[in-house]
Amino acid sequence: MNETIKIMRYRRSIRRFLPEQIKDEELQAIIESGLYAPSAHNDQPWHFTVLRDKAMIDKLNIDSKEAAKDFHDEFVRNMANNEKLHTLFGAPLVIIVSGKDDAMMPRDDCAAATENMLIAAESMGIGACWIGFVRCLFENHKEKVMEDYKIPEGHTPYYVVSFGYKKSVPQREIERKPGRVTYL
Ligand SMILES: Cc1cc2nc3c(=O)[nH]c(=O)nc-3n(C[C@H](O)[C@H](O)[C@H](O)COP(=O)(O)O)c2cc1C
């Protein structure tokens, strides 16, 4: 296994972070990895909004929970109503990934950029967690999100990733589900 494959294989979602901020050069390397993702039609339609201010990160947590309080799925509703849960896990750095609306496949492109950033973070020993929980907020309160988090006009926010130095690492590997490959 080469180093890149090892990093992908052993990466885990990190949900416990140390409070200190990651280094600026590490942040730049993460962003650059996102910028170099593949994109349909080479649109490169992503926009990254970097939150390092604790108050802004806490606001995103609270806004997301508020938006998910009446969600139809019980698991999500329980997360929203769990006062002790910080849905961004108190990470010191959060990136919102938004896509340009006039691109061919902006959501897919943003997912590729997001995954690139997760892998880049892991390669530097930095923890990360992809946060889909924000979806209720992003879909049902888009105008407010655009304004509050300064998302550029003509974009849609899709994903959020929490980043930070790891406070703890879960069990190394999760078993893979069988039957996910067909060879013809
Ligand atoms: C689209 C997407 C949305 C996710 N949303 C959340 C989330 O809101 N909260 C969370 O703690 N983890 C979230 N995760 C992380 C998954 O729970 C995690 O990837 C999965 O359990 C496998 O664990 P691993 O990443 O450690 O391999 C999300 C992952 C993806 C790809």
Side-chain angles (χ1 to χ4, degrees), residues 65 68-70 76-84 133:
K65 287 172 89 173
K69 276 203 159 123
D70 300 318
V76 172
R77 227 175 27 246
N78 285 342
M79 282 176 75
N81 290 303
N82 180 350
E83 280 177 22
K84 288 193 185 140
F133 183 78

Side-chain angles (χ1 to χ4, degrees), residues 8-15 75-76 79 85-89 107 111 114-115 118 128-135 158-160 170-174 176:
M8 289 189 283
R9 170 113 188 218
Y10 295 116
R11 178 213 55 81
R12 295 295 315 275
S13 294
I14 298 300
R15 299 185 176 85
F75 182 79
V76 172
M79 282 176 75
L85 176 71
H86 194 299
T87 57
L88 304 163
F89 306 108
R107 181 185 282 279
T114 301
E115 175 66 1
L118 293 185
C129 189
W130 186 324
I131 309 290
F133 183 78
V134 290
R135 194 157 177 171
Y158 289 116
Y159 306 118
V160 162
Q171 178 206 338
R172 283 315 299 176
E173 267 185 274
I174 303 180
R176 295 296 112 177

Side-chain angles (χ1 to χ4, degrees), residues 67-176:
K69 276 203 159 123
D70 300 318
F71 194 64
H72 60 83
D73 180 83
E74 194 186 350
F75 182 79
V76 172
R77 227 175 27 246
N78 285 342
M79 282 176 75
N81 290 303
N82 180 350
E83 280 177 22
K84 288 193 185 140
L85 176 71
H86 194 299
T87 57
L88 304 163
F89 306 108
L93 171 72
V94 164
I95 297 182
I96 302 173
V97 183
S98 307
K100 222 163 165 283
D101 298 329
D102 60 5
M104 198 179 268
M105 302 173 82
R107 181 185 282 279
D108 308 72
D109 301 335
C110 285
T114 301
E115 175 66 1
N116 266 18
M117 292 196 286
L118 293 185
I119 302 298
E122 179 63 29
S123 75
M124 295 183 287
I126 292 166
C129 189
W130 186 324
I131 309 290
F133 183 78
V134 290
R135 194 157 177 171
C136 297
L137 174 68
F138 286 179
E139 288 185 355
N140 299 332
H141 305 273
K142 186 180 169 189
E143 286 313 308
K144 191 170 154 43
V145 171
M146 301 286 291
E147 196 179 319
D148 287 0
Y149 300 93
K150 299 189 171 34
I151 309 298
E153 226 184 286
H155 288 67
T156 296
Y158 289 116
Y159 306 118
V160 162
V161 186
S162 292
F163 295 96
Y165 295 129
K166 301 170 186 178
K167 187 169 180 186
S168 66
V169 180
Q171 178 206 338
R172 283 315 299 176
E173 267 185 274
I174 303 180
E175 251 183 61
R176 295 296 112 177

